[in-house]
Amino acid sequence: MDASRPSQPALPPDPPSAAEAPAGWPPAPAEAARAAQGPLTEATPPGRTRPRFEELAPGPPIWPGWVAIPIGFLAAVAGDGVAEFLIAQHVSGTSPTIALWIGVIGALVLMGGLSWLAVASIIRRRALPADRYRGPSVLVIFAMIELGLPFLLVPPLLAFTGGDIETLSSPGALTLQLLITPLGFFALLAVFVAVPRALDGVRLWLGAASVRQAVIGLLAGLLVWSAAQVLAGVLVAILHLLGINPEGEQEVTAIAQQLPVPVAVLTIAVLAPIAEELFFRGFVFNAWEREYGTRRALIGATLLFGLAHVPGGTPLAVVVVLLLGLLLTGVYARTRNLATTIGIHATFNLASVLALFLLSGHG
């Protein structure tokens, strides 16, 4: 070999001839990019961007949903409000039945409008590749849970209790509410996400790995709960020094104190963590990650988790919940195993419930 002559770079291989070329050659730019990126796996989030309008298939108009939502909301608020007023004031000769029916119809119209938006999104997103998010807006499903389900629940509960508002806080009524909420999570996710395969490729159960991670999560939850108590104590001390009294009881605390221990453990420490992790980490995080990328999905899922706990929560508790949501979302983004966050969340809630009962002397 002549050392004075520089070595020549290897020439790229010639493209196949027309007779030798396989079907689909040359590859389209989008297909080539996907092939270079590799298949979608739990360990390598795609971090895709939100689909452009021209990528979506034609579908039904969305205006009927936007018309039905405010009408149903106002009717549900008016019907439930009038019914509760008539019951509380014991207005003679006036029955709350009509108001209750208006509340029920309003709630159904509200859920119908939200469902219309959800179905329209599923139809329009069906043309997207399987590794994109092809389901309804996260906020639409969130509104169904936070607005639609409660409005649907109030009139039947009032009718079931015979119009006695005080019995709404009875153990039976509270247990019914705590059972319906997670079941609503499961039903909505099944209908609008699982059935249309909106998050194709996302695995919620990883076999033996999930069992191992669940045990790790259950043990780690004790450390997380202990750290949260220390943080809450420090924050309370700082606020007292500033002359601010952060005392106050969360709604879930008042509910738990009125329930038998097994019922409180089942609903608050078992069903609630599974339902919330399926929704906020399994659904919200993965959906927003495929639309906006991992970082925005982590922030968005954390904020939405905190927002869901604002009603009935004290400001201090909301801060702790936000930090817990950030931790849980970060753990899921790292492990891609939902069993880990379910374990942490379950132990956190279980320790909180047991500590509440021990401190109150409730048997």
Side-chain angles (χ1 to χ4, degrees), residues 37 40-51 125 131-134 138 198-203 279-302 329-337:
Q37 187 181 31
L40 174 64
T41 64
E42 295 295 309
T44 55
R48 293 185 177 276
T49 57
R50 187 175 184 181
R125 289 171 178 261
D131 58 352
R132 298 286 289 272
Y133 174 60
R134 299 185 295 180
V138 167
L199 283 171
D200 199 16
V202 173
R203 297 173 59 193
F279 185 80
F280 292 103
R281 257 61 65 177
F283 167 55
V284 174
F285 175 81
N286 281 294
W288 276 348
E289 184 182 50
R290 292 187 176 193
E291 290 199 68
Y292 305 109
T294 303
R295 182 179 301 178
R296 292 185 180 183
L298 191 149
I299 296 173
T302 299
T329 311
V331 168
Y332 178 75
R334 178 73 175 177
T335 64
R336 299 289 157 166
N337 197 320

Tab-separated table of all heavy atoms in Angstrom, residues 37 40-51 125 131-134 138 198-203 279-302 329-337:
chain	number	residue	atom	x	y	z
A	37	GLN	N	-35.669	5.769	14.520
A	37	GLN	CA	-35.937	5.979	15.939
A	37	GLN	C	-36.101	4.654	16.670
A	37	GLN	O	-35.823	4.546	17.848
A	37	GLN	CB	-37.203	6.813	16.106
A	37	GLN	CG	-37.460	7.228	17.549
A	37	GLN	CD	-38.734	8.033	17.652
A	37	GLN	OE1	-39.662	7.842	16.890
A	37	GLN	NE2	-38.781	8.934	18.590
A	40	LEU	N	-41.465	1.665	19.414
A	40	LEU	CA	-41.900	2.281	20.659
A	40	LEU	C	-41.809	1.253	21.780
A	40	LEU	O	-42.359	0.170	21.692
A	40	LEU	CB	-43.338	2.772	20.535
A	40	LEU	CG	-43.971	3.324	21.814
A	40	LEU	CD1	-43.229	4.557	22.263
A	40	LEU	CD2	-45.432	3.630	21.585
A	41	THR	N	-41.096	1.579	22.838
A	41	THR	CA	-40.971	0.697	23.993
A	41	THR	C	-41.244	1.488	25.246
A	41	THR	O	-41.285	2.719	25.242
A	41	THR	CB	-39.569	0.083	24.088
A	41	THR	OG1	-38.616	1.140	24.308
A	41	THR	CG2	-39.189	-0.656	22.815
A	42	GLU	N	-41.399	0.780	26.372
A	42	GLU	CA	-41.643	1.446	27.642
A	42	GLU	C	-40.419	2.232	28.089
A	42	GLU	O	-40.521	3.184	28.816
A	42	GLU	CB	-42.007	0.396	28.699
A	42	GLU	CG	-43.302	-0.321	28.430
A	42	GLU	CD	-44.480	0.619	28.492
A	42	GLU	OE1	-44.616	1.350	29.472
A	42	GLU	OE2	-45.259	0.633	27.520
A	43	ALA	N	-39.229	1.802	27.668
A	43	ALA	CA	-38.010	2.444	28.156
A	43	ALA	C	-37.625	3.666	27.336
A	43	ALA	O	-36.839	4.485	27.774
A	43	ALA	CB	-36.854	1.439	28.138
A	44	THR	N	-38.135	3.811	26.115
A	44	THR	CA	-37.757	4.932	25.264
A	44	THR	C	-38.999	5.680	24.835
A	44	THR	O	-39.605	5.351	23.818
A	44	THR	CB	-36.998	4.429	24.023
A	44	THR	OG1	-37.809	3.450	23.356
A	44	THR	CG2	-35.677	3.782	24.416
A	45	PRO	N	-39.451	6.667	25.621
A	45	PRO	CA	-40.650	7.421	25.263
A	45	PRO	C	-40.452	8.160	23.959
A	45	PRO	O	-39.362	8.646	23.664
A	45	PRO	CB	-40.818	8.392	26.438
A	45	PRO	CG	-39.451	8.509	27.023
A	45	PRO	CD	-38.810	7.170	26.834
A	46	PRO	N	-41.469	8.248	23.129
A	46	PRO	CA	-41.328	8.841	21.810
A	46	PRO	C	-41.153	10.352	21.834
A	46	PRO	O	-40.487	10.909	20.997
A	46	PRO	CB	-42.623	8.452	21.102
A	46	PRO	CG	-43.611	8.296	22.206
A	46	PRO	CD	-42.834	7.757	23.375
A	47	GLY	N	-41.769	11.031	22.797
A	47	GLY	CA	-41.641	12.476	22.873
A	47	GLY	C	-42.135	13.174	21.621
A	47	GLY	O	-41.512	14.120	21.137
A	48	ARG	N	-43.228	12.732	21.058
A	48	ARG	CA	-43.715	13.306	19.811
A	48	ARG	C	-44.439	14.626	20.059
A	48	ARG	O	-44.710	15.002	21.183
A	48	ARG	CB	-44.650	12.317	19.111
A	48	ARG	CG	-43.931	11.069	18.636
A	48	ARG	CD	-44.864	10.186	17.840
A	48	ARG	NE	-44.165	9.020	17.331
A	48	ARG	CZ	-43.452	9.013	16.216
A	48	ARG	NH1	-43.346	10.109	15.511
A	48	ARG	NH2	-42.846	7.926	15.815
A	49	THR	N	-44.744	15.304	18.980
A	49	THR	CA	-45.446	16.575	19.081
A	49	THR	C	-46.919	16.368	18.794
A	49	THR	O	-47.332	15.358	18.246
A	49	THR	CB	-44.880	17.591	18.066
A	49	THR	OG1	-44.971	17.036	16.762
A	49	THR	CG2	-43.432	17.895	18.383
A	50	ARG	N	-47.715	17.353	19.182
A	50	ARG	CA	-49.152	17.265	18.973
A	50	ARG	C	-49.462	17.184	17.482
A	50	ARG	O	-48.854	17.893	16.676
A	50	ARG	CB	-49.820	18.487	19.586
A	50	ARG	CG	-51.336	18.411	19.578
A	50	ARG	CD	-51.919	19.586	20.302
A	50	ARG	NE	-53.363	19.475	20.378
A	50	ARG	CZ	-54.149	20.374	20.950
A	50	ARG	NH1	-53.613	21.429	21.513
A	50	ARG	NH2	-55.446	20.213	20.990
A	51	PRO	N	-50.399	16.321	17.088
A	51	PRO	CA	-50.696	16.175	15.658
A	51	PRO	C	-51.256	17.459	15.062
A	51	PRO	O	-52.075	18.130	15.672
A	51	PRO	CB	-51.737	15.049	15.620
A	51	PRO	CG	-52.334	15.025	16.989
A	51	PRO	CD	-51.227	15.430	17.906
A	125	ARG	N	-58.797	11.094	15.074
A	125	ARG	CA	-57.410	10.698	15.300
A	125	ARG	C	-57.114	9.269	14.825
A	125	ARG	O	-55.986	8.795	14.991
A	125	ARG	CB	-57.074	10.806	16.791
A	125	ARG	CG	-56.973	12.232	17.298
A	125	ARG	CD	-56.869	12.249	18.823
A	125	ARG	NE	-56.714	13.601	19.320
A	125	ARG	CZ	-55.552	14.145	19.668
A	125	ARG	NH1	-54.455	13.440	19.579
A	125	ARG	NH2	-55.491	15.386	20.107
A	131	ASP	N	-48.183	4.668	17.247
A	131	ASP	CA	-47.364	5.162	18.351
A	131	ASP	C	-47.670	6.619	18.694
A	131	ASP	O	-46.941	7.242	19.460
A	131	ASP	CB	-45.877	5.007	18.042
A	131	ASP	CG	-45.466	5.736	16.768
A	131	ASP	OD1	-46.364	6.226	16.056
A	131	ASP	OD2	-44.259	5.804	16.491
A	132	ARG	N	-48.747	7.157	18.155
A	132	ARG	CA	-49.231	8.478	18.546
A	132	ARG	C	-50.416	8.296	19.473
A	132	ARG	O	-50.999	7.211	19.573
A	132	ARG	CB	-49.649	9.274	17.307
A	132	ARG	CG	-48.525	9.527	16.328
A	132	ARG	CD	-47.547	10.564	16.802
A	132	ARG	NE	-48.115	11.889	16.781
A	132	ARG	CZ	-48.079	12.707	15.712
A	132	ARG	NH1	-47.525	12.290	14.590
A	132	ARG	NH2	-48.595	13.905	15.774
A	133	TYR	N	-50.824	9.362	20.154
A	133	TYR	CA	-52.023	9.297	21.001
A	133	TYR	C	-53.242	9.485	20.116
A	133	TYR	O	-53.367	10.484	19.411
A	133	TYR	CB	-51.976	10.366	22.085
A	133	TYR	CG	-53.260	10.421	22.887
A	133	TYR	CD1	-53.694	9.308	23.596
A	133	TYR	CD2	-54.039	11.570	22.925
A	133	TYR	CE1	-54.870	9.335	24.320
A	133	TYR	CE2	-55.210	11.614	23.656
A	133	TYR	CZ	-55.624	10.502	24.352
A	133	TYR	OH	-56.800	10.520	25.061
A	134	ARG	N	-54.168	8.541	20.166
A	134	ARG	CA	-55.318	8.557	19.257
A	134	ARG	C	-56.644	8.598	20.015
A	134	ARG	O	-57.658	8.091	19.531
A	134	ARG	CB	-55.269	7.319	18.352
A	134	ARG	CG	-54.019	7.261	17.493
A	134	ARG	CD	-54.038	6.107	16.526
A	134	ARG	NE	-54.019	4.819	17.201
A	134	ARG	CZ	-54.028	3.650	16.563
A	134	ARG	NH1	-54.059	3.635	15.238
A	134	ARG	NH2	-54.000	2.520	17.233
A	138	VAL	N	-57.383	14.826	27.113
A	138	VAL	CA	-57.266	14.474	28.536
A	138	VAL	C	-58.219	15.316	29.370
A	138	VAL	O	-58.852	14.812	30.313
A	138	VAL	CB	-55.812	14.675	28.993
A	138	VAL	CG1	-55.713	14.642	30.514
A	138	VAL	CG2	-54.907	13.619	28.384
A	198	ALA	N	-56.324	3.848	22.143
A	198	ALA	CA	-55.791	5.200	22.015
A	198	ALA	C	-54.330	5.284	22.416
A	198	ALA	O	-53.612	6.181	21.963
A	198	ALA	CB	-56.619	6.165	22.870
A	199	LEU	N	-53.870	4.384	23.281
A	199	LEU	CA	-52.472	4.369	23.716
A	199	LEU	C	-51.862	3.017	23.383
A	199	LEU	O	-51.331	2.324	24.254
A	199	LEU	CB	-52.379	4.651	25.223
A	199	LEU	CG	-52.561	6.107	25.639
A	199	LEU	CD1	-52.670	6.233	27.153
A	199	LEU	CD2	-51.408	6.971	25.126
A	200	ASP	N	-51.929	2.672	22.130
A	200	ASP	CA	-51.404	1.382	21.691
A	200	ASP	C	-49.903	1.315	21.972
A	200	ASP	O	-49.152	2.229	21.647
A	200	ASP	CB	-51.656	1.213	20.193
A	200	ASP	CG	-51.565	-0.231	19.768
A	200	ASP	OD1	-51.619	-1.109	20.647
A	200	ASP	OD2	-51.448	-0.482	18.556
A	201	GLY	N	-49.466	0.224	22.591
A	201	GLY	CA	-48.052	0.052	22.913
A	201	GLY	C	-47.721	0.292	24.362
A	201	GLY	O	-46.660	-0.110	24.826
A	202	VAL	N	-48.591	0.966	25.095
A	202	VAL	CA	-48.352	1.202	26.521
A	202	VAL	C	-48.825	-0.022	27.303
A	202	VAL	O	-49.981	-0.428	27.196
A	202	VAL	CB	-49.089	2.461	27.016
A	202	VAL	CG1	-48.969	2.600	28.526
A	202	VAL	CG2	-48.519	3.690	26.324
A	203	ARG	N	-47.946	-0.589	28.088
A	203	ARG	CA	-48.266	-1.781	28.859
A	203	ARG	C	-48.435	-1.392	30.325
A	203	ARG	O	-47.564	-0.767	30.924
A	203	ARG	CB	-47.153	-2.821	28.713
A	203	ARG	CG	-46.975	-3.335	27.291
A	203	ARG	CD	-45.756	-4.222	27.181
A	203	ARG	NE	-45.855	-5.383	28.074
A	203	ARG	CZ	-44.828	-6.181	28.357
A	203	ARG	NH1	-43.648	-5.945	27.829
A	203	ARG	NH2	-45.003	-7.212	29.172
A	279	PHE	N	-55.186	6.637	35.952
A	279	PHE	CA	-55.593	7.844	35.233
A	279	PHE	C	-54.423	8.809	35.041
A	279	PHE	O	-54.097	9.171	33.908
A	279	PHE	CB	-56.731	8.540	35.976
A	279	PHE	CG	-57.294	9.722	35.232
A	279	PHE	CD1	-58.198	9.537	34.207
A	279	PHE	CD2	-56.896	11.012	35.536
A	279	PHE	CE1	-58.706	10.616	33.494
A	279	PHE	CE2	-57.391	12.101	34.840
A	279	PHE	CZ	-58.304	11.905	33.815
A	280	PHE	N	-53.803	9.234	36.132
A	280	PHE	CA	-52.828	10.327	36.041
A	280	PHE	C	-51.474	9.887	35.488
A	280	PHE	O	-50.819	10.655	34.784
A	280	PHE	CB	-52.641	10.981	37.409
A	280	PHE	CG	-53.851	11.733	37.876
A	280	PHE	CD1	-54.693	11.208	38.832
A	280	PHE	CD2	-54.158	12.966	37.338
A	280	PHE	CE1	-55.819	11.891	39.253
A	280	PHE	CE2	-55.286	13.662	37.742
A	280	PHE	CZ	-56.121	13.122	38.705
A	281	ARG	N	-51.032	8.689	35.803
A	281	ARG	CA	-49.765	8.219	35.269
A	281	ARG	C	-49.975	7.352	34.029
A	281	ARG	O	-49.350	7.577	32.990
A	281	ARG	CB	-49.003	7.448	36.351
A	281	ARG	CG	-47.875	8.241	36.982
A	281	ARG	CD	-48.318	9.520	37.686
A	281	ARG	NE	-49.168	9.303	38.843
A	281	ARG	CZ	-49.621	10.275	39.627
A	281	ARG	NH1	-49.334	11.542	39.363
A	281	ARG	NH2	-50.391	10.009	40.666
A	282	GLY	N	-50.861	6.359	34.110
A	282	GLY	CA	-51.052	5.469	32.980
A	282	GLY	C	-51.667	6.152	31.772
A	282	GLY	O	-51.297	5.869	30.622
A	283	PHE	N	-52.618	7.063	32.004
A	283	PHE	CA	-53.326	7.722	30.902
A	283	PHE	C	-52.791	9.120	30.623
A	283	PHE	O	-52.278	9.399	29.536
A	283	PHE	CB	-54.817	7.770	31.215
A	283	PHE	CG	-55.607	8.681	30.316
A	283	PHE	CD1	-55.555	8.539	28.939
A	283	PHE	CD2	-56.405	9.686	30.845
A	283	PHE	CE1	-56.270	9.385	28.092
A	283	PHE	CE2	-57.121	10.532	30.017
A	283	PHE	CZ	-57.055	10.385	28.645
A	284	VAL	N	-52.902	10.027	31.613
A	284	VAL	CA	-52.567	11.436	31.372
A	284	VAL	C	-51.109	11.593	30.941
A	284	VAL	O	-50.805	12.243	29.936
A	284	VAL	CB	-52.856	12.277	32.632
A	284	VAL	CG1	-52.364	13.710	32.439
A	284	VAL	CG2	-54.342	12.268	32.956
A	285	PHE	N	-50.197	11.007	31.692
A	285	PHE	CA	-48.773	11.173	31.368
A	285	PHE	C	-48.453	10.620	29.983
A	285	PHE	O	-47.799	11.288	29.172
A	285	PHE	CB	-47.913	10.487	32.424
A	285	PHE	CG	-46.445	10.516	32.098
A	285	PHE	CD1	-45.686	11.647	32.368
A	285	PHE	CD2	-45.823	9.430	31.503
A	285	PHE	CE1	-44.335	11.686	32.043
A	285	PHE	CE2	-44.481	9.456	31.185
A	285	PHE	CZ	-43.735	10.590	31.457
A	286	ASN	N	-48.903	9.403	29.691
A	286	ASN	CA	-48.575	8.808	28.399
A	286	ASN	C	-49.217	9.557	27.240
A	286	ASN	O	-48.601	9.717	26.177
A	286	ASN	CB	-49.011	7.336	28.384
A	286	ASN	CG	-48.036	6.442	29.118
A	286	ASN	OD1	-46.895	6.270	28.695
A	286	ASN	ND2	-48.467	5.873	30.231
A	287	ALA	N	-50.470	10.018	27.437
A	287	ALA	CA	-51.141	10.756	26.361
A	287	ALA	C	-50.424	12.070	26.076
A	287	ALA	O	-50.146	12.398	24.911
A	287	ALA	CB	-52.598	11.011	26.747
A	288	TRP	N	-50.112	12.819	27.120
A	288	TRP	CA	-49.447	14.111	26.908
A	288	TRP	C	-47.994	13.937	26.473
A	288	TRP	O	-47.458	14.788	25.764
A	288	TRP	CB	-49.551	14.951	28.171
A	288	TRP	CG	-50.858	15.685	28.237
A	288	TRP	CD1	-51.759	15.839	27.227
A	288	TRP	CD2	-51.408	16.375	29.357
A	288	TRP	NE1	-52.836	16.584	27.649
A	288	TRP	CE2	-52.649	16.926	28.950
A	288	TRP	CE3	-50.989	16.574	30.675
A	288	TRP	CZ2	-53.463	17.665	29.805
A	288	TRP	CZ3	-51.794	17.315	31.529
A	288	TRP	CH2	-53.021	17.857	31.097
A	289	GLU	N	-47.360	12.840	26.868
A	289	GLU	CA	-45.996	12.608	26.403
A	289	GLU	C	-45.974	12.404	24.896
A	289	GLU	O	-45.078	12.912	24.198
A	289	GLU	CB	-45.403	11.383	27.094
A	289	GLU	CG	-43.944	11.148	26.707
A	289	GLU	CD	-43.357	9.919	27.348
A	289	GLU	OE1	-44.012	8.852	27.262
A	289	GLU	OE2	-42.264	10.002	27.912
A	290	ARG	N	-46.943	11.692	24.374
A	290	ARG	CA	-46.978	11.458	22.928
A	290	ARG	C	-47.367	12.716	22.158
A	290	ARG	O	-47.087	12.815	20.960
A	290	ARG	CB	-47.957	10.327	22.615
A	290	ARG	CG	-47.475	8.982	23.129
A	290	ARG	CD	-48.363	7.850	22.666
A	290	ARG	NE	-47.830	6.564	23.105
A	290	ARG	CZ	-48.241	5.383	22.655
A	290	ARG	NH1	-49.209	5.325	21.757
A	290	ARG	NH2	-47.706	4.272	23.104
A	291	GLU	N	-48.022	13.658	22.830
A	291	GLU	CA	-48.410	14.899	22.151
A	291	GLU	C	-47.376	16.006	22.335
A	291	GLU	O	-47.117	16.770	21.407
A	291	GLU	CB	-49.764	15.375	22.673
A	291	GLU	CG	-50.928	14.501	22.246
A	291	GLU	CD	-52.255	15.227	22.380
A	291	GLU	OE1	-52.486	16.189	21.615
A	291	GLU	OE2	-53.044	14.848	23.255
A	292	TYR	N	-46.792	16.108	23.534
A	292	TYR	CA	-45.959	17.270	23.845
A	292	TYR	C	-44.541	16.929	24.272
A	292	TYR	O	-43.712	17.821	24.409
A	292	TYR	CB	-46.608	18.092	24.966
A	292	TYR	CG	-48.029	18.510	24.688
A	292	TYR	CD1	-49.090	17.935	25.380
A	292	TYR	CD2	-48.311	19.472	23.728
A	292	TYR	CE1	-50.396	18.311	25.120
A	292	TYR	CE2	-49.615	19.856	23.461
A	292	TYR	CZ	-50.651	19.264	24.171
A	292	TYR	OH	-51.946	19.643	23.910
A	293	GLY	N	-44.237	15.666	24.544
A	293	GLY	CA	-42.916	15.324	25.028
A	293	GLY	C	-42.928	15.020	26.520
A	293	GLY	O	-43.868	15.343	27.243
A	294	THR	N	-41.833	14.411	26.991
A	294	THR	CA	-41.775	13.903	28.364
A	294	THR	C	-41.823	15.013	29.402
A	294	THR	O	-42.527	14.902	30.408
A	294	THR	CB	-40.504	13.058	28.549
A	294	THR	OG1	-40.494	12.003	27.580
A	294	THR	CG2	-40.456	12.446	29.935
A	295	ARG	N	-41.058	16.070	29.200
A	295	ARG	CA	-40.982	17.123	30.222
A	295	ARG	C	-42.330	17.791	30.442
A	295	ARG	O	-42.773	17.957	31.586
A	295	ARG	CB	-39.938	18.166	29.829
A	295	ARG	CG	-39.758	19.276	30.856
A	295	ARG	CD	-38.687	20.264	30.425
A	295	ARG	NE	-37.406	19.601	30.229
A	295	ARG	CZ	-36.312	20.222	29.819
A	295	ARG	NH1	-36.348	21.517	29.530
A	295	ARG	NH2	-35.178	19.558	29.679
A	296	ARG	N	-43.002	18.164	29.376
A	296	ARG	CA	-44.309	18.802	29.525
A	296	ARG	C	-45.335	17.833	30.095
A	296	ARG	O	-46.216	18.232	30.865
A	296	ARG	CB	-44.787	19.337	28.170
A	296	ARG	CG	-43.962	20.493	27.640
A	296	ARG	CD	-44.564	21.039	26.359
A	296	ARG	NE	-43.791	22.142	25.818
A	296	ARG	CZ	-44.113	22.833	24.740
A	296	ARG	NH1	-45.220	22.507	24.056
A	296	ARG	NH2	-43.368	23.823	24.310
A	297	ALA	N	-45.241	16.563	29.726
A	297	ALA	CA	-46.165	15.576	30.271
A	297	ALA	C	-45.972	15.420	31.772
A	297	ALA	O	-46.944	15.285	32.527
A	297	ALA	CB	-45.962	14.229	29.577
A	298	LEU	N	-44.731	15.446	32.231
A	298	LEU	CA	-44.457	15.321	33.662
A	298	LEU	C	-45.056	16.498	34.427
A	298	LEU	O	-45.711	16.317	35.469
A	298	LEU	CB	-42.950	15.247	33.893
A	298	LEU	CG	-42.469	14.861	35.291
A	298	LEU	CD1	-41.134	14.119	35.188
A	298	LEU	CD2	-42.302	16.074	36.197
A	299	ILE	N	-44.855	17.708	33.912
A	299	ILE	CA	-45.397	18.894	34.576
A	299	ILE	C	-46.924	18.894	34.523
A	299	ILE	O	-47.603	19.157	35.524
A	299	ILE	CB	-44.831	20.171	33.925
A	299	ILE	CG1	-43.308	20.238	34.127
A	299	ILE	CG2	-45.496	21.420	34.503
A	299	ILE	CD1	-42.650	21.373	33.370
A	300	GLY	N	-47.475	18.582	33.363
A	300	GLY	CA	-48.929	18.608	33.215
A	300	GLY	C	-49.631	17.576	34.078
A	300	GLY	O	-50.645	17.872	34.723
A	301	ALA	N	-49.120	16.347	34.108
A	301	ALA	CA	-49.745	15.304	34.922
A	301	ALA	C	-49.660	15.649	36.403
A	301	ALA	O	-50.596	15.373	37.168
A	301	ALA	CB	-49.072	13.960	34.648
A	302	THR	N	-48.563	16.271	36.824
A	302	THR	CA	-48.422	16.673	38.229
A	302	THR	C	-49.436	17.751	38.597
A	302	THR	O	-50.103	17.665	39.633
A	302	THR	CB	-47.004	17.185	38.482
A	302	THR	OG1	-46.061	16.140	38.205
A	302	THR	CG2	-46.836	17.647	39.921
A	329	THR	N	-45.079	10.918	39.363
A	329	THR	CA	-44.927	11.036	37.913
A	329	THR	C	-43.479	10.839	37.503
A	329	THR	O	-43.189	10.194	36.484
A	329	THR	CB	-45.434	12.398	37.423
A	329	THR	OG1	-46.734	12.653	37.964
A	329	THR	CG2	-45.522	12.436	35.910
A	330	GLY	N	-42.546	11.380	38.297
A	330	GLY	CA	-41.130	11.180	37.997
A	330	GLY	C	-40.721	9.724	38.107
A	330	GLY	O	-39.941	9.218	37.282
A	331	VAL	N	-41.238	9.039	39.125
A	331	VAL	CA	-40.925	7.608	39.284
A	331	VAL	C	-41.455	6.815	38.098
A	331	VAL	O	-40.765	5.932	37.566
A	331	VAL	CB	-41.500	7.070	40.614
A	331	VAL	CG1	-41.440	5.547	40.651
A	331	VAL	CG2	-40.736	7.656	41.796
A	332	TYR	N	-42.673	7.116	37.667
A	332	TYR	CA	-43.217	6.386	36.517
A	332	TYR	C	-42.429	6.681	35.247
A	332	TYR	O	-42.168	5.766	34.446
A	332	TYR	CB	-44.689	6.726	36.303
A	332	TYR	CG	-45.261	6.034	35.094
A	332	TYR	CD1	-45.562	4.673	35.140
A	332	TYR	CD2	-45.458	6.707	33.896
A	332	TYR	CE1	-46.054	4.012	34.023
A	332	TYR	CE2	-45.944	6.058	32.778
A	332	TYR	CZ	-46.238	4.715	32.846
A	332	TYR	OH	-46.713	4.063	31.735
A	333	ALA	N	-42.056	7.947	35.049
A	333	ALA	CA	-41.277	8.289	33.863
A	333	ALA	C	-39.938	7.555	33.857
A	333	ALA	O	-39.402	7.235	32.793
A	333	ALA	CB	-41.061	9.798	33.800
A	334	ARG	N	-39.422	7.280	35.043
A	334	ARG	CA	-38.136	6.589	35.143
A	334	ARG	C	-38.279	5.078	34.981
A	334	ARG	O	-37.501	4.446	34.256
A	334	ARG	CB	-37.515	6.903	36.506
A	334	ARG	CG	-36.184	6.221	36.781
A	334	ARG	CD	-35.079	6.832	35.977
A	334	ARG	NE	-33.793	6.265	36.315
A	334	ARG	CZ	-32.650	6.596	35.709
A	334	ARG	NH1	-32.661	7.513	34.755
A	334	ARG	NH2	-31.507	6.041	36.062
A	335	THR	N	-39.263	4.482	35.634
A	335	THR	CA	-39.393	3.024	35.656
A	335	THR	C	-40.281	2.477	34.547
A	335	THR	O	-40.143	1.319	34.163
A	335	THR	CB	-39.962	2.556	37.003
A	335	THR	OG1	-41.305	3.063	37.159
A	335	THR	CG2	-39.094	3.048	38.155
A	336	ARG	N	-41.247	3.282	34.067
A	336	ARG	CA	-42.240	2.832	33.099
A	336	ARG	C	-43.009	1.628	33.624
A	336	ARG	O	-43.426	0.757	32.855
A	336	ARG	CB	-41.573	2.495	31.769
A	336	ARG	CG	-40.879	3.664	31.125
A	336	ARG	CD	-41.873	4.670	30.602
A	336	ARG	NE	-41.278	5.995	30.479
A	336	ARG	CZ	-41.818	6.993	29.814
A	336	ARG	NH1	-42.978	6.827	29.206
A	336	ARG	NH2	-41.251	8.172	29.770
A	337	ASN	N	-43.187	1.577	34.938
A	337	ASN	CA	-43.898	0.466	35.562
A	337	ASN	C	-44.922	1.046	36.525
A	337	ASN	O	-44.558	1.625	37.562
A	337	ASN	CB	-42.917	-0.446	36.302
A	337	ASN	CG	-43.526	-1.803	36.611
A	337	ASN	OD1	-44.694	-1.898	36.978
A	337	ASN	ND2	-42.741	-2.856	36.462
